[in-house]
Amino acid sequence: MKIRASALLFIAVAASARADDIAMEDQSQILASAGKPADSQYFQPPEESEIPDNAFGKLVQEGRAIFVDTKNRAPEFVGNGLACANCHLEQGRKANSAPLWGAYPMYPAYRKKNDKVNSYAERMQGCFQFSMNGKAPEADGPVIAALTAYSYWLSTGAPTGQELPGRAYPEVPEPKGGYDLAKGEQVYAAQCAVCHGAEGQGQKSGDDYVFPPLWGADSFNWGAGMHRINTAAAFIKESMPLGKGGSLSDEDAWHVAAFMNSHERPQDPRLIDGSVEKTRVKYHANDGVNLYGVEVNGQVLGKGL
């Protein structure tokens, strides 16, 4: 790994378990091989107008509402300014943005990092713990029930246990010379700051974020999947700047992802004995490319906010 230059980006998917049993974050079920192949046809989820007018349909509607407005619809479980739809774009429909229709049919699934078979409910609980920097809703409670119903409905007609094209964030190769924080800062200023703010603070309308914070106290924590530079680079390359996905080069996607993730954010809730180093060794040393526990500009990242 090569880090050059100055200074210190996004939104994620995370691991799962009960609120009192935080498991290792993992994205092994979102495989790069399931990304965008040439000339593929992606699964088409049903339209919103097709939601049935019955009890099930009402639960689907509630799940959709929680998904796009998570902090207001499930405030007791959210500890930052993010919503599910910040990482899973177009209300969880967008191919190559970890769409719900690509995830739901793949569970239960064994995940090597926590060495257990995870239910879909457990997977979503992890998102609240890490990406939302909050706490896990009860597996049999109303929030998980609604989100599960929405995911199930979006998957109408999808095959079970079959990896569908577009279910992943497509892998982006790391630059041969390594990522460059100074170049990332330049890309951020030119392409990202107009929406997410010069200091990554996001942009609000009233009390709600229109564009999410990318670092700082109101962003995802160090346990979220998006803290990995390779994951963030894949998301950015495919979908950012918003409405101009694919316009950045692979190299610039990596540079700006590294710049985003070279800033401090909330602590990994799996912190061991108050030690960043112990937590780095157990959870981060072999978890993709990341800067948790790494010194950047004289400061060790991962102390939390």
Side-chain angles (χ1 to χ4, degrees):
M1 180 192 308
K2 185 176 181 182
I3 307 176
R4 301 198 297 266
S6 69
L8 307 176
L9 140 201
F10 232 93
I11 330 321
V13 195
S16 59
R18 301 184 306 274
D20 59 346
D21 183 22
I22 298 175
M24 181 66 179
E25 192 286 325
D26 178 55
Q27 283 188 323
S28 63
Q29 300 305 318
I30 301 181
L31 305 178
S33 61
K36 183 190 294 182
D39 301 319
S40 68
Q41 278 295 118
Y42 298 123
F43 174 79
Q44 296 299 311
E47 297 296 330
E48 187 176 349
S49 61
E50 298 176 57
I51 297 176
D53 184 16
N54 55 23
F56 171 68
K58 290 179 181 178
L59 191 60
V60 170
Q61 291 280 23
E62 178 60 20
R64 175 188 169 279
I66 293 171
F67 195 83
V68 301
D69 191 18
T70 318
K71 186 173 184 179
N72 290 320
R73 289 285 185 157
E76 64 270 40
F77 303 113
V78 178
N80 58 21
L82 305 186
C84 304
N86 291 140
C87 289
H88 310 272
L89 299 183
E90 297 177 9
Q91 303 176 19
R93 294 171 169 272
K94 185 180 183 297
N96 298 305
S97 187
L100 299 186
W101 50 258
Y104 179 84
M106 297 300 294
Y107 285 86
Y110 173 78
R111 292 166 56 226
K112 61 183 180 180
K113 283 190 175 181
N114 62 8
D115 193 28
K116 63 176 288 189
V117 174
N118 291 251
S119 68
Y120 189 68
E122 288 177 310
R123 186 65 170 173
M124 288 191 292
Q125 286 177 317
C127 290
F128 280 93
Q129 291 172 307
F130 298 106
S131 294
M132 301 296 183
N133 193 38
K135 64 178 183 178
E138 300 83 358
D140 59 352
V143 171
I144 294 296
L147 287 170
T148 300
Y150 181 54
S151 302
Y152 171 80
W153 175 77
L154 280 177
S155 306
T156 301
T160 300
Q162 178 178 324
E163 290 189 21
L164 295 173
R167 74 178 297 260
Y169 300 134
E171 183 178 3
V172 178
E174 184 174 1
K176 291 182 179 179
Y179 54 80
D180 187 322
L181 298 184
K183 290 181 179 178
E185 185 174 19
Q186 294 171 359
V187 175
Y188 184 85
Q191 301 289 345
C192 313
V194 65
C195 291
H196 296 285
E199 301 300 324
Q201 74 273 19
Q203 188 175 154
K204 283 185 170 182
S205 176
D207 294 331
D208 299 322
Y209 281 101
V210 179
F211 296 101
L214 304 183
W215 61 82
D218 220 13
S219 188
F220 55 89
N221 67 42
W222 281 109
M226 203 62 74
H227 94 284
R228 292 192 295 259
I229 295 170
N230 53 300
T231 300
F235 177 87
I236 292 165
K237 170 67 178 181
E238 173 65 25
S239 298
M240 295 292 132
L242 192 63
K244 297 169 61 179
S247 62
L248 296 180
S249 68
D250 291 355
E251 292 79 9
D252 281 350
W254 267 84
H255 297 329
V256 75
F259 173 71
M260 175 183 87
N261 284 336
S262 66
H263 293 77
E264 196 57 88
R265 58 185 64 260
Q267 179 57 262
D268 188 331
R270 302 165 296 184
L271 184 69
I272 301 171
D273 299 331
S275 169
V276 170
E277 178 58 20
K278 288 182 179 180
T279 308
R280 184 195 68 80
V281 170
K282 184 169 183 178
Y283 293 120
H284 296 271
N286 298 304
D287 186 26
V289 182
N290 70 83
L291 292 172
Y292 185 89
V294 175
E295 184 175 318
V296 177
N297 290 336
Q299 299 294 323
V300 175
L301 296 173
K303 294 180 180 179
L305 296 170

